[in-house]
């Protein structure tokens, strides 16, 4: 039941997002579009309440409940940024707005960008771990729920190592000469 609800929440997230952007930019109903976009956090509240009710009614804690907590944590940390990113693209494509800024590709600017993403992952891990810890205290059967906490921590560490690699070994910007093709050079056949 919980996995089906997680899938329904994910589908609902994208349906509300598409509807909100379409209403906002295609139908030019800005307030209605914003209202649809603001309704998305209600999906996570529904998922949280249903998961808690499922555990309260005696369901054995399983990976499904852990997945629900991880999903909520990810949505809390990355949901707003995802909506903002897609809103910028929709404004550009559908309303003639400026093209959205791309993330930096080189040097310390890229390392800072990756560090900010890692901070989002840290937030996702903290939210998911707190929800899981609350469920562990509530139900008292930690095995499956602890596994989900360890999964969140592994993801956090792996993402941290990747972000750190951008700081330790920054990608260098291509030189101006290498970036543009040489002019006036002709190929000759032998």
């Amino acid at each position: 039941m919980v996995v089906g609800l997680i899938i329904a929440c994910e589908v609902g997230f994208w349906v509300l997002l598409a509807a909100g952007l379409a209403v906002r930019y295609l139908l030019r109903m800005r307030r209605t579009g914003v209202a649809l976009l603001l309704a998305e956090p209600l999906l996570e509240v529904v998922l949280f309440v249903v998961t808690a009710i499922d555990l309260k009614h005696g369901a054995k804690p399983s990976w499904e409940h852990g997945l629900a907590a991880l999903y909520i944590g990810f949505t809390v940390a990355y949901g707003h940024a995802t909506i903002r990113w897609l809103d910028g693209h929709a404004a550009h494509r559908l309303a003639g707005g400026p093209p959205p800024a791309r993330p930096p590709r080189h040097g310390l600017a890229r390392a800072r960008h990756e560090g900010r993403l890692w901070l989002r992952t840290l937030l996702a891990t903290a939210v998911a771990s707190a929800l899981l810890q609350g469920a562990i205290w509530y139900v008292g059967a930690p095995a499956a729920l602890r596994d989900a906490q360890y999964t969140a921590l592994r993801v956090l560490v792996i993402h941290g190592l990747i972000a750190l690699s951008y700081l330790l070994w920054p990608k260098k910007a291509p030189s101006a000469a290498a970036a543009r093709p040489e002019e006036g050079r002709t190929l000759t056949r032998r």
Side-chain angles (χ1 to χ4, degrees), residues 20-135:
L21 294 175
V23 166
R24 185 173 182 176
Y25 293 111
L26 295 177
L27 300 178
R28 309 251 190 261
M29 299 170 68
R30 185 167 175 81
R31 288 186 182 174
T32 306
V34 169
L36 285 169
L37 293 174
L38 290 175
E40 289 180 347
L42 294 176
L43 295 172
E44 281 66 41
V45 171
V46 168
L47 178 61
F48 178 71
V49 168
V50 170
T51 302
I53 289 171
D54 189 40
L55 289 171
K56 182 168 178 67
H57 287 291
K60 182 180 178 192
S62 66
W63 65 271
E64 298 166 342
H65 299 97
L67 182 62
L70 294 174
Y71 177 79
I72 291 170
F74 179 83
T75 304
V76 166
Y78 283 94
H80 179 70
T82 302
I83 292 169
R84 191 177 62 237
W85 180 78
L86 286 171
D87 185 54
H89 282 280
H92 173 63
R93 299 271 183 194
L94 303 175
R102 291 186 166 196
R105 294 184 176 196
H106 308 95
L108 289 178
R110 179 61 186 225
R112 278 190 296 277
H113 172 74
E114 292 297 327
R116 285 190 297 271
L117 289 178
W118 181 80
L119 289 174
R120 287 187 183 279
T121 303
L122 177 63
L123 175 62
T125 301
V127 168
S129 293
L131 290 173
L132 289 164
Q133 191 61 45

Side-chain angles (χ1 to χ4, degrees), residues 100-182:
R102 291 186 166 196
R105 294 184 176 196
H106 308 95
L108 289 178
R110 179 61 186 225
R112 278 190 296 277
H113 172 74
E114 292 297 327
R116 285 190 297 271
L117 289 178
W118 181 80
L119 289 174
R120 287 187 183 279
T121 303
L122 177 63
L123 175 62
T125 301
V127 168
S129 293
L131 290 173
L132 289 164
Q133 191 61 45
I136 289 168
W137 290 334
Y138 182 64
V139 178
L145 302 178
R146 284 269 183 239
D147 289 343
Q149 282 181 321
Y150 294 142
T151 298
L153 287 173
R154 280 191 298 269
V155 169
L156 179 67
V157 168
I158 291 168
H159 191 185
L161 291 173
I162 292 169
L164 185 62
S165 73
Y166 281 95
L167 182 63
L168 297 176
W169 300 286
K171 186 176 177 184
K172 293 180 177 42
S175 66
R180 60 174 191 237
E182 293 182 32

